[in-house]
Amino acid sequence: MPARSIVLTVVLLLVSGLTHGLLGMWLLDAFPKLRARKRVVYGVLASLVGMATVTRLLTIATHSEILGSIFAAAMCELIIVLFSAVPLVLVRGVARLVDSIAPPATKAATETEVSRRQAIERVGGVAVVGATASLVGWGALVGRHDFVVEEVAVRIVGLPRVLDGYTIAQISDLHVGLLMSEDDLTEGLNKLASTPSDLVVITGDILDFDPKYIPLAARLLSKIRARDGVFAIYGNHDHYTGASAVGTALRAAGIDVLVNDGRVIRAKDGGGFALLGVDDLASLRSGGPGPRLDRAMSAVPDDRPRILLSHQPATVDIWAGRVALQLSGHTHGGQFNPFGLRPADLIMHYVAGRYEVGKTSLWVNRGFGVVGPPARVGAPPEVTKIVLVAA
């Protein structure tokens, strides 16, 4: 098993164990009758702790759609417990605070006070778990299908005036596989088709991890039309799938795959601009070159304004100022942002939307697909329409 997979498995088990442990403490406090069946309660919770991890590994090993569906359900259960854990702790704290502020006057009253505490824990806890479950359910049934178009104007120094208003449509993170069916992908591609553009770019993670879905992805993506072509780069999941096979299929479908390479777009219009694409950081793990901007730049004249496709947005820190605009994906916009919060901000600097990094503008697309729980909350799937403005 690769080191990355081992680390992910360990982290998943630790997080799942901690959060399910907190859930068990709440259950036994709020529902004292369950204490007589304490072993059963913790046995069920223990089985749920390992469910997402085990089904994930088995799905990767067997490519079973049935196991994939079980894994998706297990991840939904895990995300519900994960986002309920801290509020449940707060509910228990509030219930105990009520006891301490208004202590019972007699022993007889003690029983009343205890039942009041339990009522607070029950009502508060059920409300927390119910609200989180409702959010996950909405995200699975509605949120992940709520495709939107984000339009952004970007000033490009040196862009020929004749190209002022030039449009690029960006899609990303399709994750074609168990959780992104043909119908799901068609939904997003229909949104793309309804967004007029001169050029289309796909910024990585076209596949999820299963190579058997490569023909499906290539067939559907071959239907994309744009006057100046369709370009793609690899993401980390394309390397997990098999980048060579992914690239071969995409090129056969008429898509120009840029791997540390570049093209001049609309050269006859005042010199046009350079479109560059770099490999993903994941290729380094298999002995690949990784992202090499210098190699991509060597493929085009050095006096053209540069637009770069790089799957992981954090790479902008490596070459900020050397390109006018970087288009990225990878983050899914955090994917699950409940109650207006975006937990991904705690671990990632660039999550969604526009950032200015030195003299480089960065746009992070939220992508089409999902990883883990098949749900999106507060991070709708996105087609980006970039309008270039001559500066």
Side-chain angles (χ1 to χ4, degrees):
M1 184 186 296
R4 171 189 168 275
S5 189
I6 293 174
V7 171
L8 183 59
T9 299
V10 171
V11 170
L12 193 59
L13 282 172
L14 289 174
V15 170
S16 186
L18 175 61
T19 53
H20 281 87
L22 292 173
L23 176 63
M25 292 170 62
W26 168 71
L27 282 171
L28 296 178
D29 270 359
F31 303 94
K33 290 183 179 180
L34 290 176
R35 293 172 188 169
R37 300 179 180 273
K38 187 174 181 179
R39 291 184 180 180
V40 175
V41 171
Y42 277 112
V44 171
L45 292 175
S47 66
L48 291 174
V49 167
M51 184 65 71
T53 302
V54 171
T55 53
R56 173 182 172 273
L57 295 175
L58 289 175
T59 300
I60 292 173
T62 65
H63 306 291
S64 166
E65 293 190 7
I66 294 175
L67 287 172
S69 298
I70 297 173
F71 167 64
M75 284 303 301
C76 284
E77 187 272 341
L78 176 58
I79 204 73
I80 290 170
V81 175
L82 176 63
F83 280 92
S84 298
V86 172
L88 284 176
V89 171
L90 295 177
V91 166
R92 295 180 69 209
V94 169
R96 280 156 178 72
L97 182 61
V98 169
D99 265 352
S100 65
I101 292 175
T106 67
K107 182 177 180 181
T110 301
E111 296 180 2
T112 304
E113 293 299 327
V114 169
S115 102
R116 181 175 63 182
R117 173 177 61 79
Q118 290 169 354
I120 293 172
E121 289 198 43
R122 289 177 188 179
V123 173
V126 169
V128 165
V129 176
T132 307
S134 297
L135 275 176
V136 173
W138 182 90
L141 297 175
V142 179
R144 64 175 296 197
H145 302 287
D146 187 24
F147 289 89
V148 299
V149 176
E150 301 284 3
E151 183 169 335
V152 57
V154 182
R155 295 175 63 85
I156 304 292
V157 175
L159 184 73
R161 291 289 174 184
V162 69
L163 293 181
D164 186 80
Y166 188 92
T167 56
I168 300 174
Q170 178 196 8
I171 60 176
S172 193
D173 296 84
L174 312 182
H175 287 278
V176 180
L178 290 171
L179 302 181
M180 175 60 79
S181 68
E182 180 170 350
D183 289 343
D184 295 333
L185 183 56
T186 299
E187 278 187 293
L189 294 181
N190 286 342
K191 179 66 74 172
L192 172 66
S194 68
T195 307
S197 59
D198 298 304
L199 181 76
V200 172
V201 298
I202 311 171
T203 49
D205 277 4
I206 297 161
L207 276 296
D208 194 10
F209 66 84
D210 193 337
K212 80 176 185 181
Y213 291 96
I214 292 175
L216 170 63
R219 175 169 59 84
L220 294 181
L221 295 179
S222 70
K223 300 176 182 179
I224 299 175
R225 296 289 180 266
R227 178 177 62 176
D228 293 331
V230 182
F231 296 83
I233 58 171
Y234 295 141
N236 51 310
H237 279 258
D238 299 312
H239 282 282
Y240 306 154
T241 305
S244 178
V246 172
T248 298
L250 292 180
R251 292 184 179 100
I255 296 171
D256 195 346
V257 183
L258 300 178
V259 185
N260 297 324
D261 204 354
R263 303 283 185 268
V264 175
I265 306 298
R266 301 288 287 273
K268 294 181 180 179
D269 289 327
F273 63 90
L275 181 69
L276 311 175
V278 294
D279 200 359
D280 187 71
L281 290 165
S283 75
L284 293 170
R285 301 190 186 102
S286 56
R292 292 287 303 276
L293 180 62
D294 54 345
R295 188 179 297 179
M297 288 173 55
S298 69
V300 297
D302 59 10
D303 60 347
R304 304 295 198 276
R306 303 173 188 130
I307 296 175
L308 172 66
L309 312 180
S310 180
H311 178 64
Q312 300 195 37
T315 56
V316 72
D317 292 327
I318 302 172
W319 44 63
R322 299 181 68 189
V323 299
L325 171 64
Q326 176 173 318
L327 301 178
S328 299
H330 185 61
T331 65
H332 300 199
Q335 189 171 313
F336 196 79
N337 305 322
F339 314 114
L341 304 174
R342 196 163 70 179
D345 285 328
L346 299 176
I347 57 176
M348 292 184 282
H349 190 59
Y350 310 111
V351 178
R354 184 169 182 166
Y355 303 85
E356 299 298 330
V357 188
K359 294 183 179 180
T360 296
S361 294
L362 168 68
W363 182 268
V364 184
N365 181 290
R366 293 187 298 267
F368 278 12
V370 293
V371 168
R376 280 178 171 265
V377 173
E382 167 186 339
V383 173
T384 311
K385 181 178 180 180
I386 299 104
V387 181
L388 304 185
V389 179

